[in-house]
Amino acid sequence: LNIIDCRTRKVVKFPRGVRYLALSYIWGSENSDESSTPSHDMLSGSIPTTISDAMEVTLHLGLQFLWVDRYCIPQDQDHVKHTEIRHMDLIYRGAAATIVACSGLSPWHGLPGCSKQLRSGCSRAAIGDQVLFSVPPDPRYEIEASNWMSRGWTYQEGLLSKRRIFFTGEQVYFECDARHCFESTAPLLNNVVWESSQKARVFSIRDRTISRHDFYKTISEYSGRQLTYESDILNGVWGVLRTFRTSQYPIHHYWGVPVYAKKAGYEVIAGFTWDLVKPGQRRAGFPSWS
């Protein structure tokens, strides 16, 4: 496994036991000045602004290593690429936190407030000796409406992460299984209780005992997202499927159809009873029933 050393700006072999951050972003279109394959392990050429900003955020948070698929997965080695794609659950679950770049339409947009990309300012008004500032809207609305939220590959990156740091156009929003908070309200963390953290989250807290209902809900959410290549439909959610397979009560799958380990015969039949909410189109290379 490779990882970026943000101090040396080199791609190095993953040092065992170190804490690291991961980056979730939109690939967008390629740039002729930038290569996904590092030259002699150095990040050469023009590094996308979002990735460069994420490296700075990593250092400011007191960490040294950042995992970014563009550089850490060898894009010119298909067998290695295929293996690492199937272990995305280990990568994102293992990260101390995931930086989510949910603003903009490409990796060149940057993380608002970090370098070139400015954040939307707050309105200010002075009334007598009082100065009033407008409070930015709830960042979760912007996240839900973002292009990042519509993409297939980013689904498991957000879902599998134990902590998420969202960079929106106006503020930063933090979410984990214990609490969630954002800059505009600046709450004291001690006052953010577990009960309130269950409400209106970007990614809901999943029970550790995964059920068949969770499987169907996950596949339904993921199926509504967009992929550049339809052939990636299983690869884009493989880490989540692997999580179901290795859970306390394993749920396997066959071409995306659930197979429950305890009652295989019954669950296979139940898996084939899925239905479409709206008309769909068969994907090339996949069975019609998958």
Side-chain angles (χ1 to χ4, degrees), residues 140 144 149 162 164 173-180 194 196-206:
R140 289 165 292 193
E144 291 288 349
M149 198 69 175
K162 54 189 174 186
R164 295 167 284 273
Y173 168 68
F174 173 82
E175 182 177 277
C176 68
D177 280 354
R179 52 175 60 101
H180 60 144
W194 171 268
S196 65
S197 70
Q198 306 291 323
K199 303 174 183 178
R201 300 170 56 89
V202 176
F203 287 94
S204 60
I205 298 173
R206 304 300 175 96

PDB file of all heavy atoms in Angstrom, residues 140 144 149 162 164 173-180 194 196-206:
ATOM      1  N   ARG A 140     -25.091  21.141   5.524  1.00  0.00           N
ATOM      2  CA  ARG A 140     -25.562  19.851   5.031  1.00  0.00           C
ATOM      3  C   ARG A 140     -26.429  19.995   3.787  1.00  0.00           C
ATOM      4  O   ARG A 140     -26.489  19.098   2.953  1.00  0.00           O
ATOM      5  CB  ARG A 140     -26.308  19.116   6.149  1.00  0.00           C
ATOM      6  CG  ARG A 140     -25.371  18.622   7.250  1.00  0.00           C
ATOM      7  CD  ARG A 140     -26.088  18.227   8.509  1.00  0.00           C
ATOM      8  NE  ARG A 140     -26.687  19.381   9.171  1.00  0.00           N
ATOM      9  CZ  ARG A 140     -27.162  19.351  10.416  1.00  0.00           C
ATOM     10  NH1 ARG A 140     -27.089  18.239  11.120  1.00  0.00           N
ATOM     11  NH2 ARG A 140     -27.698  20.420  10.960  1.00  0.00           N
ATOM     12  N   GLU A 144     -25.566  17.945   0.420  1.00  0.00           N
ATOM     13  CA  GLU A 144     -26.567  17.099  -0.237  1.00  0.00           C
ATOM     14  C   GLU A 144     -26.754  17.478  -1.707  1.00  0.00           C
ATOM     15  O   GLU A 144     -27.039  16.622  -2.541  1.00  0.00           O
ATOM     16  CB  GLU A 144     -27.909  17.208   0.498  1.00  0.00           C
ATOM     17  CG  GLU A 144     -27.925  16.583   1.889  1.00  0.00           C
ATOM     18  CD  GLU A 144     -27.908  15.060   1.856  1.00  0.00           C
ATOM     19  OE1 GLU A 144     -28.093  14.487   0.759  1.00  0.00           O
ATOM     20  OE2 GLU A 144     -27.709  14.451   2.917  1.00  0.00           O
ATOM     21  N   MET A 149     -21.808  14.482  -3.862  1.00  0.00           N
ATOM     22  CA  MET A 149     -22.839  13.617  -3.287  1.00  0.00           C
ATOM     23  C   MET A 149     -23.550  12.792  -4.356  1.00  0.00           C
ATOM     24  O   MET A 149     -24.214  11.803  -4.037  1.00  0.00           O
ATOM     25  CB  MET A 149     -23.858  14.477  -2.527  1.00  0.00           C
ATOM     26  CG  MET A 149     -24.726  13.713  -1.550  1.00  0.00           C
ATOM     27  SD  MET A 149     -23.779  13.117  -0.135  1.00  0.00           S
ATOM     28  CE  MET A 149     -25.112  12.422   0.869  1.00  0.00           C
ATOM     29  N   LYS A 162     -14.784   6.759   9.428  1.00  0.00           N
ATOM     30  CA  LYS A 162     -15.262   6.914  10.805  1.00  0.00           C
ATOM     31  C   LYS A 162     -15.358   8.383  11.213  1.00  0.00           C
ATOM     32  O   LYS A 162     -16.095   8.729  12.133  1.00  0.00           O
ATOM     33  CB  LYS A 162     -14.360   6.147  11.771  1.00  0.00           C
ATOM     34  CG  LYS A 162     -12.885   6.458  11.697  1.00  0.00           C
ATOM     35  CD  LYS A 162     -12.095   5.459  12.542  1.00  0.00           C
ATOM     36  CE  LYS A 162     -10.599   5.642  12.391  1.00  0.00           C
ATOM     37  NZ  LYS A 162      -9.840   4.579  13.091  1.00  0.00           N
ATOM     38  N   ARG A 164     -15.484  12.401   9.190  1.00  0.00           N
ATOM     39  CA  ARG A 164     -15.525  13.099   7.908  1.00  0.00           C
ATOM     40  C   ARG A 164     -15.401  14.602   8.136  1.00  0.00           C
ATOM     41  O   ARG A 164     -16.127  15.173   8.954  1.00  0.00           O
ATOM     42  CB  ARG A 164     -16.838  12.781   7.179  1.00  0.00           C
ATOM     43  CG  ARG A 164     -16.975  11.324   6.794  1.00  0.00           C
ATOM     44  CD  ARG A 164     -18.387  10.967   6.372  1.00  0.00           C
ATOM     45  NE  ARG A 164     -19.293  10.836   7.510  1.00  0.00           N
ATOM     46  CZ  ARG A 164     -19.463   9.717   8.205  1.00  0.00           C
ATOM     47  NH1 ARG A 164     -18.780   8.631   7.890  1.00  0.00           N
ATOM     48  NH2 ARG A 164     -20.301   9.675   9.221  1.00  0.00           N
ATOM     49  N   TYR A 173     -17.646  21.351   7.944  1.00  0.00           N
ATOM     50  CA  TYR A 173     -18.603  20.564   8.728  1.00  0.00           C
ATOM     51  C   TYR A 173     -17.931  19.257   9.124  1.00  0.00           C
ATOM     52  O   TYR A 173     -17.301  18.592   8.291  1.00  0.00           O
ATOM     53  CB  TYR A 173     -19.856  20.299   7.894  1.00  0.00           C
ATOM     54  CG  TYR A 173     -20.807  19.272   8.472  1.00  0.00           C
ATOM     55  CD1 TYR A 173     -21.518  19.531   9.639  1.00  0.00           C
ATOM     56  CD2 TYR A 173     -21.003  18.047   7.835  1.00  0.00           C
ATOM     57  CE1 TYR A 173     -22.399  18.590  10.160  1.00  0.00           C
ATOM     58  CE2 TYR A 173     -21.883  17.107   8.349  1.00  0.00           C
ATOM     59  CZ  TYR A 173     -22.576  17.379   9.513  1.00  0.00           C
ATOM     60  OH  TYR A 173     -23.438  16.443  10.033  1.00  0.00           O
ATOM     61  N   PHE A 174     -18.037  18.890  10.396  1.00  0.00           N
ATOM     62  CA  PHE A 174     -17.421  17.664  10.913  1.00  0.00           C
ATOM     63  C   PHE A 174     -18.497  16.683  11.351  1.00  0.00           C
ATOM     64  O   PHE A 174     -19.498  17.070  11.953  1.00  0.00           O
ATOM     65  CB  PHE A 174     -16.510  17.985  12.103  1.00  0.00           C
ATOM     66  CG  PHE A 174     -15.976  16.755  12.802  1.00  0.00           C
ATOM     67  CD1 PHE A 174     -14.873  16.085  12.298  1.00  0.00           C
ATOM     68  CD2 PHE A 174     -16.583  16.271  13.952  1.00  0.00           C
ATOM     69  CE1 PHE A 174     -14.385  14.950  12.935  1.00  0.00           C
ATOM     70  CE2 PHE A 174     -16.104  15.139  14.593  1.00  0.00           C
ATOM     71  CZ  PHE A 174     -14.998  14.475  14.085  1.00  0.00           C
ATOM     72  N   GLU A 175     -18.254  15.415  11.046  1.00  0.00           N
ATOM     73  CA  GLU A 175     -19.234  14.389  11.404  1.00  0.00           C
ATOM     74  C   GLU A 175     -18.517  13.089  11.745  1.00  0.00           C
ATOM     75  O   GLU A 175     -17.593  12.664  11.043  1.00  0.00           O
ATOM     76  CB  GLU A 175     -20.186  14.170  10.225  1.00  0.00           C
ATOM     77  CG  GLU A 175     -21.286  13.165  10.465  1.00  0.00           C
ATOM     78  CD  GLU A 175     -22.222  13.066   9.269  1.00  0.00           C
ATOM     79  OE1 GLU A 175     -23.140  13.896   9.165  1.00  0.00           O
ATOM     80  OE2 GLU A 175     -22.011  12.177   8.419  1.00  0.00           O
ATOM     81  N   CYS A 176     -18.933  12.468  12.855  1.00  0.00           N
ATOM     82  CA  CYS A 176     -18.448  11.139  13.206  1.00  0.00           C
ATOM     83  C   CYS A 176     -19.603  10.399  13.872  1.00  0.00           C
ATOM     84  O   CYS A 176     -20.718  10.921  13.958  1.00  0.00           O
ATOM     85  CB  CYS A 176     -17.225  11.209  14.127  1.00  0.00           C
ATOM     86  SG  CYS A 176     -17.568  11.841  15.786  1.00  0.00           S
ATOM     87  N   ASP A 177     -19.364   9.191  14.353  1.00  0.00           N
ATOM     88  CA  ASP A 177     -20.442   8.407  14.950  1.00  0.00           C
ATOM     89  C   ASP A 177     -20.868   8.932  16.319  1.00  0.00           C
ATOM     90  O   ASP A 177     -21.913   8.540  16.834  1.00  0.00           O
ATOM     91  CB  ASP A 177     -20.023   6.939  15.076  1.00  0.00           C
ATOM     92  CG  ASP A 177     -20.163   6.201  13.757  1.00  0.00           C
ATOM     93  OD1 ASP A 177     -20.689   6.806  12.803  1.00  0.00           O
ATOM     94  OD2 ASP A 177     -19.750   5.029  13.680  1.00  0.00           O
ATOM     95  N   ALA A 178     -20.076   9.813  16.916  1.00  0.00           N
ATOM     96  CA  ALA A 178     -20.406  10.323  18.245  1.00  0.00           C
ATOM     97  C   ALA A 178     -21.109  11.671  18.198  1.00  0.00           C
ATOM     98  O   ALA A 178     -21.983  11.955  19.004  1.00  0.00           O
ATOM     99  CB  ALA A 178     -19.144  10.427  19.097  1.00  0.00           C
ATOM    100  N   ARG A 179     -20.727  12.533  17.235  1.00  0.00           N
ATOM    101  CA  ARG A 179     -21.303  13.872  17.195  1.00  0.00           C
ATOM    102  C   ARG A 179     -21.066  14.502  15.833  1.00  0.00           C
ATOM    103  O   ARG A 179     -20.327  13.972  15.014  1.00  0.00           O
ATOM    104  CB  ARG A 179     -20.682  14.754  18.286  1.00  0.00           C
ATOM    105  CG  ARG A 179     -19.153  14.773  18.279  1.00  0.00           C
ATOM    106  CD  ARG A 179     -18.638  15.760  19.308  1.00  0.00           C
ATOM    107  NE  ARG A 179     -19.078  15.400  20.636  1.00  0.00           N
ATOM    108  CZ  ARG A 179     -18.342  14.779  21.540  1.00  0.00           C
ATOM    109  NH1 ARG A 179     -17.109  14.420  21.227  1.00  0.00           N
ATOM    110  NH2 ARG A 179     -18.798  14.504  22.734  1.00  0.00           N
ATOM    111  N   HIS A 180     -21.690  15.636  15.618  1.00  0.00           N
ATOM    112  CA  HIS A 180     -21.429  16.410  14.410  1.00  0.00           C
ATOM    113  C   HIS A 180     -21.579  17.884  14.738  1.00  0.00           C
ATOM    114  O   HIS A 180     -22.363  18.275  15.597  1.00  0.00           O
ATOM    115  CB  HIS A 180     -22.362  15.994  13.260  1.00  0.00           C
ATOM    116  CG  HIS A 180     -23.819  16.181  13.546  1.00  0.00           C
ATOM    117  ND1 HIS A 180     -24.719  16.565  12.596  1.00  0.00           N
ATOM    118  CD2 HIS A 180     -24.540  16.048  14.687  1.00  0.00           C
ATOM    119  CE1 HIS A 180     -25.934  16.648  13.122  1.00  0.00           C
ATOM    120  NE2 HIS A 180     -25.842  16.328  14.380  1.00  0.00           N
ATOM    121  N   TRP A 194     -24.991  12.729  22.211  1.00  0.00           N
ATOM    122  CA  TRP A 194     -25.234  11.619  21.292  1.00  0.00           C
ATOM    123  C   TRP A 194     -26.623  11.687  20.686  1.00  0.00           C
ATOM    124  O   TRP A 194     -26.806  11.506  19.495  1.00  0.00           O
ATOM    125  CB  TRP A 194     -25.045  10.308  22.040  1.00  0.00           C
ATOM    126  CG  TRP A 194     -25.461   9.104  21.258  1.00  0.00           C
ATOM    127  CD1 TRP A 194     -26.673   8.492  21.256  1.00  0.00           C
ATOM    128  CD2 TRP A 194     -24.653   8.377  20.337  1.00  0.00           C
ATOM    129  NE1 TRP A 194     -26.670   7.430  20.404  1.00  0.00           N
ATOM    130  CE2 TRP A 194     -25.449   7.326  19.826  1.00  0.00           C
ATOM    131  CE3 TRP A 194     -23.343   8.499  19.895  1.00  0.00           C
ATOM    132  CZ2 TRP A 194     -24.962   6.418  18.899  1.00  0.00           C
ATOM    133  CZ3 TRP A 194     -22.870   7.578  18.977  1.00  0.00           C
ATOM    134  CH2 TRP A 194     -23.675   6.564  18.490  1.00  0.00           C
ATOM    135  N   SER A 196     -28.660  14.174  20.011  1.00  0.00           N
ATOM    136  CA  SER A 196     -28.851  15.181  18.978  1.00  0.00           C
ATOM    137  C   SER A 196     -28.056  14.860  17.722  1.00  0.00           C
ATOM    138  O   SER A 196     -28.389  15.301  16.637  1.00  0.00           O
ATOM    139  CB  SER A 196     -28.436  16.564  19.496  1.00  0.00           C
ATOM    140  OG  SER A 196     -27.044  16.594  19.761  1.00  0.00           O
ATOM    141  N   SER A 197     -26.994  14.075  17.870  1.00  0.00           N
ATOM    142  CA  SER A 197     -26.148  13.788  16.721  1.00  0.00           C
ATOM    143  C   SER A 197     -26.787  12.786  15.770  1.00  0.00           C
ATOM    144  O   SER A 197     -26.293  12.557  14.688  1.00  0.00           O
ATOM    145  CB  SER A 197     -24.784  13.258  17.180  1.00  0.00           C
ATOM    146  OG  SER A 197     -24.909  11.964  17.720  1.00  0.00           O
ATOM    147  N   GLN A 198     -27.892  12.172  16.174  1.00  0.00           N
ATOM    148  CA  GLN A 198     -28.556  11.224  15.290  1.00  0.00           C
ATOM    149  C   GLN A 198     -29.393  11.926  14.227  1.00  0.00           C
ATOM    150  O   GLN A 198     -29.796  11.322  13.241  1.00  0.00           O
ATOM    151  CB  GLN A 198     -29.493  10.315  16.113  1.00  0.00           C
ATOM    152  CG  GLN A 198     -28.841   9.610  17.285  1.00  0.00           C
ATOM    153  CD  GLN A 198     -27.861   8.553  16.842  1.00  0.00           C
ATOM    154  OE1 GLN A 198     -28.093   7.881  15.859  1.00  0.00           O
ATOM    155  NE2 GLN A 198     -26.772   8.413  17.549  1.00  0.00           N
ATOM    156  N   LYS A 199     -29.685  13.199  14.422  1.00  0.00           N
ATOM    157  CA  LYS A 199     -30.639  13.896  13.565  1.00  0.00           C
ATOM    158  C   LYS A 199     -29.953  14.616  12.406  1.00  0.00           C
ATOM    159  O   LYS A 199     -28.933  15.263  12.573  1.00  0.00           O
ATOM    160  CB  LYS A 199     -31.432  14.901  14.405  1.00  0.00           C
ATOM    161  CG  LYS A 199     -32.171  14.263  15.582  1.00  0.00           C
ATOM    162  CD  LYS A 199     -32.814  15.316  16.455  1.00  0.00           C
ATOM    163  CE  LYS A 199     -33.486  14.685  17.672  1.00  0.00           C
ATOM    164  NZ  LYS A 199     -34.072  15.704  18.568  1.00  0.00           N
ATOM    165  N   ALA A 200     -30.559  14.520  11.245  1.00  0.00           N
ATOM    166  CA  ALA A 200     -30.156  15.294  10.064  1.00  0.00           C
ATOM    167  C   ALA A 200     -28.673  15.175   9.750  1.00  0.00           C
ATOM    168  O   ALA A 200     -27.985  16.162   9.528  1.00  0.00           O
ATOM    169  CB  ALA A 200     -30.537  16.765  10.266  1.00  0.00           C
ATOM    170  N   ARG A 201     -28.162  13.975   9.735  1.00  0.00           N
ATOM    171  CA  ARG A 201     -26.766  13.749   9.397  1.00  0.00           C
ATOM    172  C   ARG A 201     -26.625  13.521   7.896  1.00  0.00           C
ATOM    173  O   ARG A 201     -27.564  13.119   7.222  1.00  0.00           O
ATOM    174  CB  ARG A 201     -26.234  12.528  10.151  1.00  0.00           C
ATOM    175  CG  ARG A 201     -26.288  12.640  11.665  1.00  0.00           C
ATOM    176  CD  ARG A 201     -25.965  11.305  12.314  1.00  0.00           C
ATOM    177  NE  ARG A 201     -24.688  10.797  11.873  1.00  0.00           N
ATOM    178  CZ  ARG A 201     -23.527  11.080  12.460  1.00  0.00           C
ATOM    179  NH1 ARG A 201     -23.503  11.868  13.520  1.00  0.00           N
ATOM    180  NH2 ARG A 201     -22.405  10.586  12.014  1.00  0.00           N
ATOM    181  N   VAL A 202     -25.431  13.761   7.370  1.00  0.00           N
ATOM    182  CA  VAL A 202     -25.170  13.453   5.966  1.00  0.00           C
ATOM    183  C   VAL A 202     -25.132  11.940   5.786  1.00  0.00           C
ATOM    184  O   VAL A 202     -25.733  11.385   4.872  1.00  0.00           O
ATOM    185  CB  VAL A 202     -23.840  14.083   5.506  1.00  0.00           C
ATOM    186  CG1 VAL A 202     -23.526  13.666   4.072  1.00  0.00           C
ATOM    187  CG2 VAL A 202     -23.906  15.602   5.609  1.00  0.00           C
ATOM    188  N   PHE A 203     -24.409  11.261   6.680  1.00  0.00           N
ATOM    189  CA  PHE A 203     -24.375   9.801   6.678  1.00  0.00           C
ATOM    190  C   PHE A 203     -24.898   9.314   8.019  1.00  0.00           C
ATOM    191  O   PHE A 203     -24.339   9.640   9.068  1.00  0.00           O
ATOM    192  CB  PHE A 203     -22.950   9.281   6.450  1.00  0.00           C
ATOM    193  CG  PHE A 203     -22.467   9.462   5.042  1.00  0.00           C
ATOM    194  CD1 PHE A 203     -21.724  10.580   4.695  1.00  0.00           C
ATOM    195  CD2 PHE A 203     -22.768   8.533   4.060  1.00  0.00           C
ATOM    196  CE1 PHE A 203     -21.283  10.769   3.397  1.00  0.00           C
ATOM    197  CE2 PHE A 203     -22.335   8.713   2.757  1.00  0.00           C
ATOM    198  CZ  PHE A 203     -21.595   9.829   2.423  1.00  0.00           C
ATOM    199  N   SER A 204     -25.972   8.556   7.991  1.00  0.00           N
ATOM    200  CA  SER A 204     -26.590   8.086   9.224  1.00  0.00           C
ATOM    201  C   SER A 204     -25.697   7.063   9.906  1.00  0.00           C
ATOM    202  O   SER A 204     -24.887   6.384   9.271  1.00  0.00           O
ATOM    203  CB  SER A 204     -27.956   7.460   8.935  1.00  0.00           C
ATOM    204  OG  SER A 204     -27.815   6.366   8.048  1.00  0.00           O
ATOM    205  N   ILE A 205     -25.861   6.959  11.218  1.00  0.00           N
ATOM    206  CA  ILE A 205     -25.097   5.991  11.993  1.00  0.00           C
ATOM    207  C   ILE A 205     -25.697   4.609  11.778  1.00  0.00           C
ATOM    208  O   ILE A 205     -26.892   4.400  11.964  1.00  0.00           O
ATOM    209  CB  ILE A 205     -25.123   6.348  13.490  1.00  0.00           C
ATOM    210  CG1 ILE A 205     -24.470   7.716  13.703  1.00  0.00           C
ATOM    211  CG2 ILE A 205     -24.418   5.289  14.314  1.00  0.00           C
ATOM    212  CD1 ILE A 205     -24.603   8.232  15.110  1.00  0.00           C
ATOM    213  N   ARG A 206     -24.866   3.671  11.370  1.00  0.00           N
ATOM    214  CA  ARG A 206     -25.338   2.313  11.116  1.00  0.00           C
ATOM    215  C   ARG A 206     -25.087   1.438  12.340  1.00  0.00           C
ATOM    216  O   ARG A 206     -24.037   1.494  12.964  1.00  0.00           O
ATOM    217  CB  ARG A 206     -24.614   1.712   9.899  1.00  0.00           C
ATOM    218  CG  ARG A 206     -24.754   2.556   8.642  1.00  0.00           C
ATOM    219  CD  ARG A 206     -26.214   2.715   8.238  1.00  0.00           C
ATOM    220  NE  ARG A 206     -26.376   3.617   7.121  1.00  0.00           N
ATOM    221  CZ  ARG A 206     -26.480   3.223   5.855  1.00  0.00           C
ATOM    222  NH1 ARG A 206     -26.437   1.957   5.553  1.00  0.00           N
ATOM    223  NH2 ARG A 206     -26.632   4.107   4.900  1.00  0.00           N
TER     224      ARG A 206
END
